[in-house]
Amino acid sequence: MGTASGAVVLETERLLLRLLTTEDLDALAALYADPEIRRYFPDGTRTLEQTRQELNWIIDVYYARYGYGLWATILKETGAFVGRCGLLPWEIEGRTEVEVAYLLERSVWGRGLATEAARAIVDHAFATLPVERLICMLDPGNRASRNVAEKIGMTPLWEDYVDEYGPAHVYAIQRSNRRSGP
Ligand SMILES: CC(C)(COP(=O)(O)OP(=O)(O)OC[C@H]1O[C@@H](n2cnc3c(N)ncnc32)[C@H](O)[C@@H]1OP(=O)(O)O)[C@@H](O)C(=O)NCCC(=O)NCCS
């Protein structure tokens, strides 16, 4: 079996974020099959086939059309694939909003890794994209996700946002408010 090896997009102290490839299918599908990980996703867990479709979409549409997307998240210490984090485009009221997204396997939760990845993703997005703000769409019950958003400097933008999946809290960080320094 070949080792998946997409190009590196970002590096943090403990993580590498690299392009996903079709060889990441099984690792991604294992994450998406975990009901605890997918607890706050409106469509719940994903089958292998659904994950394959999402992976193809990430590669063929997000990377090819937008130049960004969700990236494989690798723990440098072990080289293990521990999640997928990155940027997602959404069309909201006629405007493209870019979301900072993070999802990690359970065994690495609680070590500050999502916060570390999300900070680097925010810096990368403001450095490479002409956007004035970045958003996070949160299930109101997802405390961990909200904590990450707050720790990276996001504040509530719309508390009453409702899409086809139901209500969500939308947080945002403005380019002008981004943290400066390391
Ligand atoms: C959200 C997620 C990525 C957080 O990953 P993580 O690496 O454990 O997050 P961090 O360690 O950076 O924690 C960030 C903060 O959230 C807190 N936190 C973590 N898990 C928590 C939980 N279950 N409940 C409440 N707070 C929690 C941490 O204590 C930390 O705050 P602190 O530094 O003040 O203690 C992880 O829980 C996950 O993958 N969940 C499933 C996927 C998901 O829901 N993604 C978000 C979709 S919007």
Side-chain angles (χ1 to χ4, degrees):
M1 221 170 74
T3 307
S5 59
V8 172
V9 178
L10 279 178
E11 184 170 355
T12 69
E13 192 188 335
R14 292 175 291 172
L15 299 169
L16 274 183
L17 273 61
R18 61 156 178 78
L19 296 182
L20 284 159
T21 78
T22 52
E23 291 181 38
D24 293 310
L25 175 61
D26 289 344
L28 189 62
L31 296 179
Y32 282 1
D34 183 332
E36 192 62 28
I37 290 180
R38 298 289 296 186
R39 180 166 166 199
Y40 295 106
F41 286 74
D43 46 352
T45 56
R46 296 219 150 145
T47 62
L48 182 68
E49 203 41 49
Q50 288 168 329
T51 306
R52 190 197 310 277
Q53 283 171 18
E54 181 181 313
L55 186 56
N56 288 342
W57 185 266
I58 290 168
I59 294 168
D60 297 341
V61 178
Y62 291 159
Y63 293 170
R65 195 178 299 167
Y66 294 88
Y68 58 81
L70 299 173
W71 299 307
T73 303
I74 309 297
L75 191 62
K76 288 202 281 189
E77 190 188 338
T78 59
F81 180 109
V82 293
R84 59 62 167 166
C85 301
L87 295 166
L88 285 173
W90 296 97
E91 293 301 324
I92 301 176
E93 292 177 358
R95 154 175 188 161
T96 303
E97 302 281 354
V98 181
E99 181 181 30
V100 179
Y102 30 82
L103 178 150
L104 297 175
E105 74 169 35
R106 272 195 269 163
S107 68
V108 301
W109 287 3
R111 292 164 56 181
L113 290 169
T115 305
E116 186 174 317
R119 281 211 171 103
I121 291 166
V122 166
D123 287 347
H124 176 80
F126 281 134
T128 59
L129 301 175
V131 291
E132 282 312 308
R133 71 180 177 210
L134 298 165
I135 64 165
C136 263
M137 285 197 262
L138 309 169
D139 181 295
N142 196 345
R143 293 245 341 263
S145 184
R146 193 180 70 217
N147 281 349
V148 173
E150 286 174 347
K151 286 177 85 89
I152 63 171
M154 292 211 171
T155 53
L157 180 65
W158 305 313
E159 300 273 5
D160 54 354
Y161 181 74
V162 180
D163 64 12
E164 66 264 42
Y165 301 113
H169 286 174
V170 180
Y171 276 54
I173 181 167
Q174 308 291 330
R175 178 182 287 275
S176 53
N177 289 347
R178 64 192 286 221
R179 80 202 165 90
S180 52

